[in-house]
Amino acid sequence: MTLGESLILSVVGFGVVLGVLGLLALFIKAMARALYKKEQAAAPAVKEVVKEEAPVAPAKDPNKVELPADTSMGQLDLHDVSDRDAALIMAIVANKLDAPLNTLVFKSIKEVK
Amino acid sequence: MNILDTLSNLAMSSGIVAMTWQQGVMIIVACVLLYLAIKKEFEPLLLLPIAFGMLLANLPLSGIMEEGGVLKYLYTGVKTSIFPCLIFLAIGSMTDFGPLLANPASLLLGAAAQLGVYMAFILAIILGFTPQEAASIGIIGGADGPTAIFVTTKLADHLLAPISVAAYSYMALIPLIQPPIMKALTTEKERKIEMKELRTVSKTEKILFPIAVTIVCVLLIPSVAPLLGMLMLGNLFRESGVTGRLSDTAQNAMCNIVTIMLGTCVGATANGAVFLRADTLKIIALGLTAFAFSTAGGVMFGKLMCKITKGKINPLIGAAGVSAVPMAARVAQVEGQKYNKSNYLLMFAMGPNVAGVIGSAVAAGYLLSMFGG
Protein backbone atom coordinates (compact mmCIF):
# COMPACT_ATOMS: atom_id res chain seq x y z
CA MET A 1 0.00 0.00 0.00
CA THR A 2 1.36 3.41 -0.93
CA LEU A 3 1.41 6.40 1.39
CA GLY A 4 -1.20 8.13 -0.76
CA GLU A 5 -3.57 5.17 -0.52
CA SER A 6 -3.14 4.96 3.23
CA LEU A 7 -3.85 8.69 3.52
CA ILE A 8 -7.07 8.42 1.50
CA LEU A 9 -8.14 5.35 3.48
CA SER A 10 -7.49 7.17 6.76
CA VAL A 11 -9.36 10.31 5.75
CA VAL A 12 -12.35 8.22 4.64
CA GLY A 13 -12.16 6.13 7.81
CA PHE A 14 -12.07 9.18 10.05
CA GLY A 15 -14.96 10.62 8.07
CA VAL A 16 -16.95 7.40 8.50
CA VAL A 17 -16.49 7.47 12.29
CA LEU A 18 -17.47 11.16 12.45
CA GLY A 19 -20.43 10.53 10.14
CA VAL A 20 -21.79 7.51 12.02
CA LEU A 21 -21.42 9.14 15.43
CA GLY A 22 -22.83 12.42 14.08
CA LEU A 23 -25.83 10.51 12.81
CA LEU A 24 -26.29 8.97 16.23
CA ALA A 25 -26.07 12.42 17.82
CA LEU A 26 -28.83 13.66 15.51
CA PHE A 27 -30.92 10.61 16.31
CA ILE A 28 -30.55 11.21 20.05
CA LYS A 29 -31.57 14.86 19.62
CA ALA A 30 -34.61 13.87 17.57
CA MET A 31 -35.58 11.18 20.08
CA ALA A 32 -35.23 13.59 23.02
CA ARG A 33 -37.32 16.20 21.19
CA ALA A 34 -40.04 13.66 20.32
CA LEU A 35 -40.21 12.43 23.91
CA TYR A 36 -40.26 16.02 25.21
CA LYS A 37 -43.16 16.87 22.90
CA LYS A 38 -45.00 13.78 24.05
CA GLU A 39 -44.50 14.84 27.68
CA GLN A 40 -45.65 18.39 26.87
CA ALA A 41 -48.79 17.02 25.22
CA ALA A 42 -49.57 15.05 28.36
CA ALA A 43 -48.71 17.96 30.66
CA PRO A 44 -51.79 20.32 30.13
CA ALA A 45 -54.15 17.70 31.49
CA VAL A 46 -52.08 17.46 34.65
CA LYS A 47 -51.85 21.26 34.92
CA GLU A 48 -55.63 21.60 34.71
CA VAL A 49 -56.08 19.15 37.56
CA VAL A 50 -53.55 21.05 39.64
CA LYS A 51 -55.30 24.35 38.85
CA GLU A 52 -58.64 23.02 40.02
CA GLU A 53 -57.25 21.60 43.23
CA ALA A 54 -54.94 24.48 44.12
CA PRO A 55 -56.02 27.72 42.50
CA VAL A 56 -53.93 29.84 44.83
CA ALA A 57 -50.18 29.67 44.44
CA PRO A 58 -48.44 28.75 47.69
CA ALA A 59 -46.69 31.58 49.49
CA LYS A 60 -43.03 31.80 48.64
CA ASP A 61 -40.75 30.50 51.33
CA PRO A 62 -38.77 33.56 52.45
CA ASN A 63 -35.81 31.33 53.40
CA LYS A 64 -35.63 29.67 49.99
CA VAL A 65 -33.35 31.42 47.58
CA GLU A 66 -33.46 30.22 43.98
CA LEU A 67 -30.26 30.56 42.05
CA PRO A 68 -29.41 30.08 38.39
CA ALA A 69 -28.92 26.41 37.50
CA ASP A 70 -25.16 26.81 37.08
CA THR A 71 -24.60 28.48 40.44
CA SER A 72 -24.04 27.05 43.91
CA MET A 73 -24.73 28.91 47.13
CA GLY A 74 -23.25 29.54 50.53
CA GLN A 75 -20.03 28.60 52.24
CA LEU A 76 -19.38 24.92 52.86
CA ASP A 77 -17.18 23.88 55.76
CA LEU A 78 -15.26 20.66 55.22
CA HIS A 79 -13.86 18.77 58.21
CA ASP A 80 -11.39 15.98 57.32
CA VAL A 81 -13.12 15.56 53.95
CA SER A 82 -11.47 16.11 50.57
CA ASP A 83 -13.09 18.27 47.88
CA ARG A 84 -13.63 15.18 45.76
CA ASP A 85 -15.41 13.24 48.53
CA ALA A 86 -17.52 16.31 49.38
CA ALA A 87 -18.58 16.65 45.75
CA LEU A 88 -19.50 12.98 45.65
CA ILE A 89 -21.54 13.23 48.86
CA MET A 90 -23.42 16.31 47.59
CA ALA A 91 -24.13 14.65 44.26
CA ILE A 92 -25.45 11.51 45.99
CA VAL A 93 -27.70 13.56 48.33
CA ALA A 94 -29.08 15.55 45.37
CA ASN A 95 -29.69 12.34 43.46
CA LYS A 96 -31.44 10.62 46.37
CA LEU A 97 -33.62 13.69 47.04
CA ASP A 98 -34.25 14.06 43.31
CA ALA A 99 -33.51 17.78 43.67
CA PRO A 100 -31.07 19.89 41.60
CA LEU A 101 -27.88 20.75 43.49
CA ASN A 102 -28.47 24.49 43.13
CA THR A 103 -31.61 24.24 45.28
CA LEU A 104 -29.79 22.58 48.20
CA VAL A 105 -27.68 24.26 50.85
CA PHE A 106 -24.86 22.29 52.45
CA LYS A 107 -23.43 23.92 55.56
CA SER A 108 -20.73 21.46 56.56
CA ILE A 109 -19.53 17.94 55.83
CA LYS A 110 -17.68 16.12 58.56
CA GLU A 111 -16.13 12.69 58.61
CA VAL A 112 -17.61 10.49 61.35
CA LYS A 113 -14.79 8.57 63.02
CA MET B 1 22.96 -46.54 37.53
CA ASN B 2 24.86 -44.34 39.96
CA ILE B 3 23.50 -41.34 41.76
CA LEU B 4 25.58 -38.87 39.77
CA ASP B 5 24.09 -40.07 36.47
CA THR B 6 20.61 -39.73 37.93
CA LEU B 7 21.29 -36.18 39.10
CA SER B 8 22.91 -35.36 35.76
CA ASN B 9 19.86 -36.68 33.85
CA LEU B 10 17.56 -34.74 36.13
CA ALA B 11 19.55 -31.54 35.56
CA MET B 12 19.62 -32.08 31.80
CA SER B 13 15.85 -32.54 31.67
CA SER B 14 15.15 -29.44 33.77
CA GLY B 15 14.04 -26.14 32.33
CA ILE B 16 17.20 -24.35 33.41
CA VAL B 17 19.32 -26.05 30.76
CA ALA B 18 16.69 -25.60 28.09
CA MET B 19 16.22 -21.87 28.74
CA THR B 20 17.03 -19.50 25.88
CA TRP B 21 18.17 -15.91 26.41
CA GLN B 22 14.85 -14.65 24.99
CA GLN B 23 12.93 -16.63 27.60
CA GLY B 24 15.19 -15.23 30.31
CA VAL B 25 14.50 -11.67 29.18
CA MET B 26 10.75 -12.32 28.99
CA ILE B 27 10.73 -13.73 32.53
CA ILE B 28 12.36 -10.50 33.71
CA VAL B 29 9.81 -8.44 31.73
CA ALA B 30 6.99 -10.48 33.29
CA CYS B 31 8.39 -9.84 36.77
CA VAL B 32 8.62 -6.08 36.06
CA LEU B 33 4.99 -6.08 34.90
CA LEU B 34 3.96 -8.03 38.01
CA TYR B 35 5.74 -5.40 40.11
CA LEU B 36 3.90 -2.59 38.28
CA ALA B 37 0.58 -4.35 38.73
CA ILE B 38 1.00 -5.22 42.41
CA LYS B 39 3.13 -2.40 43.79
CA LYS B 40 2.15 0.50 41.51
CA GLU B 41 -1.40 -0.76 40.84
CA PHE B 42 -1.17 -0.06 37.09
CA GLU B 43 -4.39 -1.65 35.75
CA PRO B 44 -3.78 -4.62 38.08
CA LEU B 45 -6.91 -6.53 37.09
CA LEU B 46 -5.50 -6.92 33.59
CA LEU B 47 -1.78 -6.46 33.98
CA LEU B 48 -1.44 -9.14 36.64
CA PRO B 49 -2.98 -12.01 34.61
CA ILE B 50 -1.15 -10.78 31.48
CA ALA B 51 2.19 -10.75 33.30
CA PHE B 52 1.62 -14.16 34.86
CA GLY B 53 0.56 -15.64 31.53
CA MET B 54 3.79 -14.24 30.07
CA LEU B 55 5.78 -15.82 32.89
CA LEU B 56 4.13 -19.23 32.45
CA ALA B 57 4.59 -19.28 28.68
CA ASN B 58 8.27 -18.44 28.91
CA LEU B 59 9.25 -20.99 31.50
CA PRO B 60 11.06 -23.63 29.40
CA LEU B 61 9.44 -27.00 28.77
CA SER B 62 6.23 -25.99 30.56
CA GLY B 63 4.33 -26.70 27.33
CA ILE B 64 1.45 -24.63 28.65
CA MET B 65 0.97 -22.80 25.36
CA GLU B 66 1.73 -25.74 23.09
CA GLU B 67 -0.69 -28.29 21.63
CA GLY B 68 -2.48 -29.93 24.57
CA GLY B 69 -1.45 -27.18 26.99
CA VAL B 70 -4.18 -25.66 29.15
CA LEU B 71 -3.64 -22.10 27.98
CA LYS B 72 -3.61 -23.22 24.35
CA TYR B 73 -7.16 -24.52 24.85
CA LEU B 74 -8.25 -21.33 26.61
CA TYR B 75 -6.65 -19.30 23.81
CA THR B 76 -9.44 -20.53 21.53
CA GLY B 77 -11.62 -17.95 23.27
CA VAL B 78 -9.25 -15.18 22.17
CA LYS B 79 -8.66 -16.55 18.69
CA THR B 80 -12.38 -16.85 18.02
CA SER B 81 -13.01 -13.36 19.51
CA ILE B 82 -15.37 -14.79 22.11
CA PHE B 83 -13.54 -13.22 25.07
CA PRO B 84 -13.27 -9.65 23.67
CA CYS B 85 -16.96 -9.73 22.77
CA LEU B 86 -17.93 -10.99 26.23
CA ILE B 87 -15.82 -8.22 27.77
CA PHE B 88 -17.80 -5.75 25.66
CA LEU B 89 -21.03 -7.29 26.99
CA ALA B 90 -19.72 -6.66 30.51
CA ILE B 91 -18.65 -3.09 29.68
CA GLY B 92 -22.11 -2.40 28.24
CA SER B 93 -23.80 -3.59 31.42
CA MET B 94 -21.52 -1.35 33.49
CA THR B 95 -21.89 1.78 31.33
CA ASP B 96 -24.33 4.58 31.98
CA PHE B 97 -24.92 6.35 28.67
CA GLY B 98 -26.92 9.06 30.49
CA PRO B 99 -24.26 11.81 30.20
CA LEU B 100 -23.95 11.05 26.49
CA LEU B 101 -27.71 11.20 25.96
CA ALA B 102 -27.88 14.45 27.91
CA ASN B 103 -25.25 15.99 25.65
CA PRO B 104 -25.28 14.21 22.25
CA ALA B 105 -22.53 16.50 20.92
CA SER B 106 -20.22 14.35 23.09
CA LEU B 107 -20.43 11.74 20.35
CA LEU B 108 -18.47 14.02 18.04
CA LEU B 109 -15.72 14.33 20.64
CA GLY B 110 -15.61 10.54 20.88
CA ALA B 111 -15.28 10.39 17.09
CA ALA B 112 -12.58 13.08 16.91
CA ALA B 113 -10.54 11.20 19.51
CA GLN B 114 -10.11 8.31 17.05
CA LEU B 115 -7.63 10.48 15.11
CA GLY B 116 -4.72 8.52 16.56
CA VAL B 117 -6.03 5.27 15.03
CA TYR B 118 -5.55 6.65 11.53
CA MET B 119 -2.33 8.57 12.24
CA ALA B 120 -0.72 5.41 13.65
CA PHE B 121 -2.05 3.46 10.66
CA ILE B 122 -0.32 5.85 8.22
CA LEU B 123 2.92 5.82 10.22
CA ALA B 124 2.88 2.02 10.41
CA ILE B 125 2.55 1.84 6.62
CA ILE B 126 5.53 4.20 6.31
CA LEU B 127 7.52 1.93 8.65
CA GLY B 128 6.88 -1.02 6.37
CA PHE B 129 4.08 -2.92 8.08
CA THR B 130 1.46 -4.61 5.91
CA PRO B 131 -1.98 -2.89 5.78
CA GLN B 132 -3.44 -5.62 8.05
CA GLU B 133 -0.64 -5.16 10.58
CA ALA B 134 -0.90 -1.36 10.33
CA ALA B 135 -4.65 -1.50 11.00
CA SER B 136 -4.06 -3.67 14.08
CA ILE B 137 -1.39 -1.28 15.34
CA GLY B 138 -3.55 1.76 14.61
CA ILE B 139 -6.44 0.49 16.69
CA ILE B 140 -4.25 0.86 19.80
CA GLY B 141 -5.23 4.55 19.44
CA GLY B 142 -8.80 3.57 20.26
CA ALA B 143 -7.54 3.02 23.83
CA ASP B 144 -9.75 0.00 24.14
CA GLY B 145 -8.08 -3.32 25.00
CA PRO B 146 -10.82 -5.72 23.85
CA THR B 147 -11.21 -3.83 20.54
CA ALA B 148 -7.46 -3.98 19.93
CA ILE B 149 -7.45 -7.73 20.65
CA PHE B 150 -10.53 -8.28 18.48
CA VAL B 151 -9.04 -6.50 15.46
CA THR B 152 -5.58 -8.03 15.88
CA THR B 153 -6.84 -11.63 16.12
CA LYS B 154 -8.73 -11.05 12.87
CA LEU B 155 -6.03 -9.23 10.92
CA ALA B 156 -2.57 -9.96 12.34
CA ASP B 157 -2.68 -12.45 15.19
CA HIS B 158 1.12 -12.86 15.20
CA LEU B 159 1.24 -9.30 16.64
CA LEU B 160 -1.30 -9.98 19.39
CA ALA B 161 1.18 -9.95 22.28
CA PRO B 162 2.99 -6.64 21.56
CA ILE B 163 -0.24 -4.88 20.56
CA SER B 164 -2.21 -5.95 23.61
CA VAL B 165 0.68 -5.26 25.98
CA ALA B 166 1.12 -1.80 24.40
CA ALA B 167 -2.63 -1.08 24.51
CA TYR B 168 -3.06 -2.03 28.16
CA SER B 169 0.20 -0.44 29.27
CA TYR B 170 -0.68 2.91 27.70
CA MET B 171 -4.20 2.74 29.11
CA ALA B 172 -2.64 2.41 32.54
CA LEU B 173 -0.35 5.34 31.76
CA ILE B 174 -3.13 7.69 30.59
CA PRO B 175 -2.73 9.94 33.67
CA LEU B 176 0.88 10.51 32.57
CA ILE B 177 0.38 10.69 28.78
CA GLN B 178 -2.63 12.99 28.49
CA PRO B 179 -2.04 15.99 30.81
CA PRO B 180 0.96 17.49 28.95
CA ILE B 181 -0.93 17.29 25.63
CA MET B 182 -4.08 18.77 27.18
CA LYS B 183 -2.06 21.60 28.65
CA ALA B 184 -0.15 22.30 25.46
CA LEU B 185 -3.28 22.55 23.32
CA THR B 186 -5.50 24.66 25.59
CA THR B 187 -5.31 28.09 27.16
CA GLU B 188 -5.73 28.63 30.89
CA LYS B 189 -9.00 30.45 30.24
CA GLU B 190 -10.36 27.42 28.35
CA ARG B 191 -9.29 25.03 31.09
CA LYS B 192 -11.21 27.09 33.65
CA ILE B 193 -14.54 26.90 31.81
CA GLU B 194 -17.39 25.60 33.97
CA MET B 195 -20.08 23.73 32.07
CA LYS B 196 -23.84 23.96 32.49
CA GLU B 197 -25.70 21.26 34.41
CA LEU B 198 -26.77 18.31 32.26
CA ARG B 199 -30.46 17.67 31.64
CA THR B 200 -32.18 14.66 33.17
CA VAL B 201 -32.44 11.72 30.79
CA SER B 202 -35.62 9.65 30.80
CA LYS B 203 -35.69 5.89 31.19
CA THR B 204 -37.32 5.55 27.76
CA GLU B 205 -34.35 7.29 26.12
CA LYS B 206 -31.93 5.00 27.93
CA ILE B 207 -33.83 1.92 26.73
CA LEU B 208 -34.21 3.10 23.15
CA PHE B 209 -30.55 4.13 22.83
CA PRO B 210 -28.86 0.67 22.70
CA ILE B 211 -31.50 -0.62 20.30
CA ALA B 212 -31.15 2.38 17.98
CA VAL B 213 -27.32 2.36 18.08
CA THR B 214 -27.26 -1.33 17.16
CA ILE B 215 -29.64 -0.87 14.24
CA VAL B 216 -27.97 2.29 12.86
CA CYS B 217 -24.34 1.19 13.26
CA VAL B 218 -24.74 -2.44 12.16
CA LEU B 219 -26.77 -1.41 9.13
CA LEU B 220 -24.07 1.07 8.12
CA ILE B 221 -21.01 -1.05 9.03
CA PRO B 222 -22.01 -4.72 9.45
CA SER B 223 -18.56 -5.79 10.67
CA VAL B 224 -19.08 -3.75 13.84
CA ALA B 225 -21.86 -6.15 14.94
CA PRO B 226 -19.90 -8.47 17.26
CA LEU B 227 -18.39 -5.67 19.38
CA LEU B 228 -21.12 -3.07 19.30
CA GLY B 229 -23.92 -5.63 19.39
CA MET B 230 -22.57 -7.15 22.60
CA LEU B 231 -21.88 -3.72 24.12
CA MET B 232 -25.45 -2.64 23.49
CA LEU B 233 -26.92 -5.98 24.62
CA GLY B 234 -25.14 -5.53 27.94
CA ASN B 235 -26.44 -1.98 28.18
CA LEU B 236 -29.99 -3.11 27.45
CA PHE B 237 -29.67 -5.67 30.27
CA ARG B 238 -28.81 -2.75 32.54
CA GLU B 239 -31.37 -0.21 31.38
CA SER B 240 -34.39 -2.38 30.62
CA GLY B 241 -35.01 -2.87 34.33
CA VAL B 242 -36.31 -6.40 33.78
CA THR B 243 -33.03 -8.33 33.57
CA GLY B 244 -31.35 -7.37 36.82
CA ARG B 245 -29.86 -10.84 37.31
CA LEU B 246 -28.34 -10.93 33.84
CA SER B 247 -26.92 -7.44 34.23
CA ASP B 248 -25.45 -8.35 37.60
CA THR B 249 -23.85 -11.53 36.22
CA ALA B 250 -22.47 -9.72 33.17
CA GLN B 251 -20.83 -6.94 35.13
CA ASN B 252 -19.47 -9.05 37.97
CA ALA B 253 -19.03 -12.83 37.75
CA MET B 254 -18.82 -13.15 33.96
CA CYS B 255 -16.60 -10.10 33.58
CA ASN B 256 -14.16 -11.38 36.19
CA ILE B 257 -14.01 -14.90 34.74
CA VAL B 258 -13.43 -13.67 31.19
CA THR B 259 -10.86 -11.12 32.36
CA ILE B 260 -8.83 -13.89 34.02
CA MET B 261 -8.87 -16.06 30.90
CA LEU B 262 -8.34 -13.23 28.42
CA GLY B 263 -5.50 -11.64 30.37
CA THR B 264 -3.65 -14.89 31.01
CA CYS B 265 -3.98 -16.08 27.40
CA VAL B 266 -2.89 -12.75 25.93
CA GLY B 267 0.14 -12.73 28.22
CA ALA B 268 0.95 -16.30 27.21
CA THR B 269 1.23 -15.27 23.56
CA ALA B 270 4.26 -13.14 24.48
CA ASN B 271 6.74 -15.83 23.57
CA GLY B 272 10.31 -14.55 23.79
CA ALA B 273 11.30 -15.64 20.31
CA VAL B 274 8.33 -13.78 18.80
CA PHE B 275 8.14 -10.83 21.17
CA LEU B 276 11.78 -9.73 21.28
CA ARG B 277 12.06 -8.25 17.81
CA ALA B 278 12.59 -4.77 16.40
CA ASP B 279 8.94 -4.75 15.32
CA THR B 280 7.85 -4.83 18.97
CA LEU B 281 9.74 -1.61 19.68
CA LYS B 282 8.15 -0.01 16.61
CA ILE B 283 4.69 -1.10 17.81
CA ILE B 284 5.32 0.32 21.28
CA ALA B 285 6.42 3.66 19.75
CA LEU B 286 3.46 3.71 17.34
CA GLY B 287 1.06 2.90 20.19
CA LEU B 288 2.27 5.93 22.12
CA THR B 289 1.91 8.08 18.99
CA ALA B 290 -1.62 6.77 18.52
CA PHE B 291 -2.58 7.67 22.10
CA ALA B 292 -1.06 11.13 21.76
CA PHE B 293 -2.84 11.90 18.49
CA SER B 294 -6.16 10.58 19.81
CA THR B 295 -5.88 12.85 22.84
CA ALA B 296 -4.93 15.79 20.60
CA GLY B 297 -7.84 15.05 18.23
CA GLY B 298 -10.35 15.10 21.08
CA VAL B 299 -8.94 18.28 22.63
CA MET B 300 -8.76 20.11 19.29
CA PHE B 301 -12.35 19.20 18.49
CA GLY B 302 -13.27 20.31 22.00
CA LYS B 303 -11.67 23.68 21.24
CA LEU B 304 -13.70 23.92 18.05
CA MET B 305 -16.90 23.16 19.95
CA CYS B 306 -15.89 25.68 22.60
CA LYS B 307 -15.60 28.34 19.89
CA ILE B 308 -18.90 27.37 18.22
CA THR B 309 -20.82 27.37 21.53
CA LYS B 310 -19.12 30.64 22.60
CA GLY B 311 -17.26 29.13 25.54
CA LYS B 312 -19.86 26.72 26.89
CA ILE B 313 -17.74 23.60 26.42
CA ASN B 314 -14.48 22.98 28.26
CA PRO B 315 -12.05 21.51 25.66
CA LEU B 316 -10.45 19.30 28.32
CA ILE B 317 -13.40 16.90 28.13
CA GLY B 318 -12.40 16.16 24.52
CA ALA B 319 -9.40 14.20 25.81
CA ALA B 320 -11.81 11.77 27.47
CA GLY B 321 -13.02 10.76 24.01
CA VAL B 322 -10.17 8.26 23.78
CA SER B 323 -12.31 5.64 25.53
CA ALA B 324 -10.36 4.03 28.43
CA VAL B 325 -13.41 4.31 30.66
CA PRO B 326 -13.40 5.86 33.23
CA MET B 327 -9.70 6.70 33.54
CA ALA B 328 -9.67 9.33 30.76
CA ALA B 329 -12.74 11.08 32.24
CA ARG B 330 -11.00 11.19 35.61
CA VAL B 331 -7.95 12.80 34.00
CA ALA B 332 -10.18 15.54 32.52
CA GLN B 333 -11.72 16.10 35.96
CA VAL B 334 -8.32 16.31 37.70
CA GLU B 335 -6.84 18.63 35.07
CA GLY B 336 -9.90 20.90 35.17
CA GLN B 337 -9.72 21.19 38.94
CA LYS B 338 -6.07 22.15 38.84
CA TYR B 339 -7.09 25.47 37.28
CA ASN B 340 -10.53 25.96 38.82
CA LYS B 341 -11.14 24.34 42.20
CA SER B 342 -14.92 24.55 41.86
CA ASN B 343 -14.96 22.89 38.45
CA TYR B 344 -16.43 19.38 38.35
CA LEU B 345 -15.98 18.06 34.82
CA LEU B 346 -16.36 14.35 35.55
CA MET B 347 -19.98 13.94 34.43
CA PHE B 348 -19.40 16.08 31.34
CA ALA B 349 -16.31 14.05 30.47
CA MET B 350 -18.19 10.77 30.84
CA GLY B 351 -20.18 11.64 27.69
CA PRO B 352 -17.19 11.71 25.30
CA ASN B 353 -15.63 8.88 27.30
CA VAL B 354 -18.42 6.39 26.57
CA ALA B 355 -18.76 7.86 23.06
CA GLY B 356 -15.13 6.84 22.60
CA VAL B 357 -16.09 3.20 23.21
CA ILE B 358 -18.63 3.42 20.37
CA GLY B 359 -16.17 5.41 18.24
CA SER B 360 -13.36 2.86 18.60
CA ALA B 361 -15.79 0.02 17.80
CA VAL B 362 -16.90 1.86 14.63
CA ALA B 363 -13.25 2.53 13.68
CA ALA B 364 -12.50 -1.19 14.24
CA GLY B 365 -15.49 -2.14 12.08
CA TYR B 366 -14.26 0.12 9.31
CA LEU B 367 -10.73 -1.34 9.39
CA LEU B 368 -12.12 -4.88 9.41
CA SER B 369 -14.37 -4.16 6.46
CA MET B 370 -11.36 -2.76 4.57
CA PHE B 371 -8.80 -5.45 5.39
CA GLY B 372 -10.80 -8.34 6.83
CA GLY B 373 -10.88 -10.16 3.50
Side-chain angles (χ1 to χ4, degrees), chain B residues 109 112-113 115-116 177-193 289-307 313-320 322 335 339:
Chain B
L109 292 170
L115 179 68
I177 297 169
Q178 286 197 319
I181 301 166
M182 293 159 85
K183 199 177 167 187
L185 296 176
T186 53
T187 63
E188 192 168 334
K189 193 182 163 197
E190 285 170 336
R191 294 193 287 270
K192 282 181 175 172
I193 293 173
T289 313
F291 262 66
F293 272 106
S294 287
T295 305
V299 175
M300 292 307 286
F301 205 85
K303 275 172 84 83
L304 180 68
M305 286 174 74
C306 179
K307 283 253 181 320
I313 288 180
N314 189 320
L316 291 180
I317 66 165
V322 300
E335 287 306 300
Y339 301 92

Side-chain angles (χ1 to χ4, degrees), chain B residues 41-298:
Chain B
E41 295 191 25
F42 281 0
E43 291 270 337
L45 295 178
L46 280 161
L47 204 53
L48 196 143
I50 287 176
F52 207 81
M54 197 181 279
L55 179 69
L56 281 174
N58 284 288
L59 286 169
L61 309 177
S62 68
I64 206 155
M65 202 51 186
E66 287 161 18
E67 278 313 316
V70 65
L71 290 184
K72 186 74 178 174
Y73 285 119
L74 288 181
Y75 184 68
T76 313
V78 182
K79 185 100 178 146
T80 53
S81 304
I82 293 171
F83 292 163
C85 290
L86 288 178
I87 291 281
F88 253 63
L89 179 77
I91 293 171
S93 63
M94 284 186 247
T95 305
D96 176 13
F97 284 105
L100 174 70
L101 292 165
N103 182 17
S106 303
L107 275 159
L108 297 175
L109 292 170
Q114 305 309 314
L115 179 68
V117 173
Y118 301 103
M119 293 306 291
F121 171 77
I122 295 167
L123 290 172
I125 291 286
I126 294 170
L127 287 176
F129 286 98
T130 66
Q132 284 78 9
E133 290 171 340
S136 304
I137 294 166
I139 206 68
I140 298 174
D144 205 321
T147 309
I149 292 169
F150 181 80
V151 172
T152 308
T153 50
K154 299 261 181 218
L155 299 180
D157 72 340
H158 56 287
L159 296 182
L160 183 62
I163 287 176
S164 49
V165 168
Y168 282 115
S169 306
Y170 290 135
M171 275 164 64
L173 294 173
I174 270 186
L176 299 176
I177 297 169
Q178 286 197 319
I181 301 166
M182 293 159 85
K183 199 177 167 187
L185 296 176
T186 53
T187 63
E188 192 168 334
K189 193 182 163 197
E190 285 170 336
R191 294 193 287 270
K192 282 181 175 172
I193 293 173
E194 286 186 30
M195 291 176 66
K196 241 173 87 179
E197 200 176 329
L198 293 170
R199 73 174 175 90
T200 312
V201 175
S202 70
K203 189 174 166 62
T204 315
E205 283 176 84
K206 286 188 173 181
I207 293 173
L208 287 176
F209 178 72
I211 301 167
V213 169
T214 309
I215 294 171
V216 172
C217 292
V218 177
L219 277 178
L220 291 173
I221 311 171
S223 52
V224 84
L227 285 180
L228 209 62
M230 295 304 262
L231 180 78
M232 292 302 149
L233 173 63
N235 192 247
L236 195 57
F237 282 162
R238 173 196 170 95
E239 302 298 352
S240 66
V242 292
T243 51
R245 278 164 49 196
L246 301 187
S247 175
D248 178 57
T249 303
Q251 55 184 287
N252 295 301
M254 190 202 75
C255 181
N256 293 338
I257 291 168
V258 179
T259 301
I260 293 169
M261 295 195 281
L262 179 70
T264 315
C265 291
V266 165
T269 59
N271 182 291
V274 180
F275 196 84
L276 294 174
R277 291 193 303 198
D279 277 357
T280 302
L281 289 177
K282 286 185 199 168
I283 290 167
I284 299 218
L286 286 167
L288 182 60
T289 313
F291 262 66
F293 272 106
S294 287
T295 305

Side-chain angles (χ1 to χ4, degrees), chain A residues 9-10 13 21 27 32 35 69 87, chain B residues 107 118 121-122 197 205 212 344 366:
Chain A
L9 218 124
S10 298
L21 268 65
F27 171 81
L35 288 171
Chain B
L107 275 159
Y118 301 103
F121 171 77
I122 295 167
E197 200 176 329
E205 283 176 84
Y344 294 95
Y366 171 77

